[in-house]
Amino acid sequence: MAIISDIRIYRCKIENVNGVRPQPFINKKMCAVATRICMKLRENVFFMGDFDHLYINLSTFVSEGDVKPADKSPDRYHPWYRYYDVGISQALYDSLETSDCIPVVSRLIEKVLITQFSTPEFDEDKISQCVSEAVTQGEDMLMKLKEKESSQRIAVLYLRFLDTCMYFPLLRVYDNDGNIVLEKDLPESVTLDTCGQISVSSKRVTIKPRKNSRTEGETIVFEL
């Protein structure tokens, strides 16, 4: 099993079966909320089974309030995602690209997670706590991404996710007593390619970009 890595919101007025592609959300703020929920769940090691991408389809075809796996086969070439249908009213459907929908859709995401994926190890209360932190803290929510420890320092790289759907990493370095000795914002970015290997000593912190063809960032060094 893989830890959850993505939650996306879709909408559709017809039956969500093989060959049908529900419309993705355009509302960036709502997409950002869904991503923050996923980030907080990931930080707490949440599993859904043999897939790690949850695609929630808000549908007027399904009876209002119903939540169920979509009646479509897993994609043989992309087996890591599953669609789940949630029945909503026409009035809610018509408001989905407005800011008014965000609290309601956030609760529907929580409902899907609880009704379909809660376990004794990760129960309803724990899911609700993750959702609550993501929704209430908003752009200020921190997710611990990486941690590196030396004999005298602990460097922690946190993620924030902005309403513009950009990552905004934060670096904090602590001493052995838990005091912050350095706190620095890293550049905003669309991907996490700049957040690769991290190393720390008593004198400096180094963050190297990920090694792939898209990486354009340079190594970042902070003196302590």
Side-chain angles (χ1 to χ4, degrees):
M1 293 195 299
I3 303 173
I4 189 171
S5 64
D6 197 9
I7 296 177
R8 301 185 190 184
I9 312 299
Y10 294 82
R11 56 178 177 159
C12 191
K13 289 186 175 183
I14 61 176
E15 189 175 8
N16 187 18
V17 295
N18 291 338
V20 171
R21 287 191 174 184
Q23 294 177 299
F25 259 49
I26 301 173
N27 187 328
K28 278 194 171 184
K29 287 189 177 181
M30 185 64 250
C31 293
V33 172
T35 297
R36 291 185 199 115
I37 292 173
C38 179
M39 288 166 61
K40 188 54 63 173
L41 290 167
R42 183 173 179 82
E43 182 181 50
N44 286 274
V45 192
F46 179 75
F47 298 95
M48 296 180 293
D50 60 350
F51 64 99
D52 58 12
H53 284 51
L54 175 61
Y55 293 175
I56 297 175
N57 176 48
L58 305 178
S59 173
T60 56
F61 185 88
V62 178
S63 298
E64 185 176 357
D66 284 358
V67 177
K68 66 182 186 68
D71 189 17
K72 60 198 313 177
S73 305
D75 187 325
R76 61 182 297 186
Y77 300 107
H78 308 90
W80 54 81
Y81 71 82
R82 298 288 188 279
Y83 276 101
Y84 279 74
D85 292 336
V86 180
I88 63 172
S89 66
Q90 184 63 52
L92 177 56
Y93 190 94
D94 292 339
S95 73
L96 288 181
E97 294 300 343
T98 71
S99 59
D100 294 339
C101 80
I102 294 176
V104 180
V105 175
S106 299
R107 290 193 292 270
L108 291 177
I109 295 173
E110 181 178 5
K111 182 176 181 178
V112 173
L113 292 165
I114 289 173
T115 60
Q116 304 298 310
F117 304 110
S118 62
T119 64
E121 295 75 26
F122 211 117
D123 60 15
E124 176 179 345
D125 290 341
K126 195 168 183 178
I127 291 172
S128 294
Q129 179 63 33
C130 290
V131 174
S132 176
E133 289 184 30
V135 172
T136 58
Q137 295 175 16
E139 292 184 311
D140 294 325
M141 189 201 82
L142 297 178
M143 169 199 170
K144 183 187 288 187
L145 178 66
K146 295 176 182 289
E147 181 176 317
K148 191 71 174 181
E149 185 174 353
S150 68
S151 60
Q152 300 180 31
R153 298 287 185 261
I154 300 173
V156 183
L157 190 59
Y158 295 97
L159 283 184
R160 292 164 295 191
F161 197 72
L162 305 179
D163 287 340
T164 56
C165 292
M166 298 277 284
Y167 291 104
F168 190 21
L170 171 69
L171 174 67
R172 284 180 180 164
V173 181
Y174 303 86
D175 63 19
N176 289 335
D177 295 323
N179 301 307
I180 297 176
V181 297
L182 178 75
E183 183 173 79
K184 291 288 186 179
D185 293 324
L186 273 61
E188 297 177 19
S189 61
V190 176
T191 71
L192 296 177
D193 288 341
T194 57
C195 301
Q197 181 181 352
I198 183 171
S199 60
V200 60
S201 68
S202 60
K203 296 182 178 181
R204 67 181 56 87
V205 181
T206 303
I207 303 172
K208 296 181 179 180
R210 294 177 176 178
K211 294 181 179 180
N212 60 53
S213 59
R214 299 173 302 173
T215 300
E216 297 179 358
E218 298 180 353
T219 297
I220 300 172
V221 179
F222 294 110
E223 300 296 332
L224 301 177

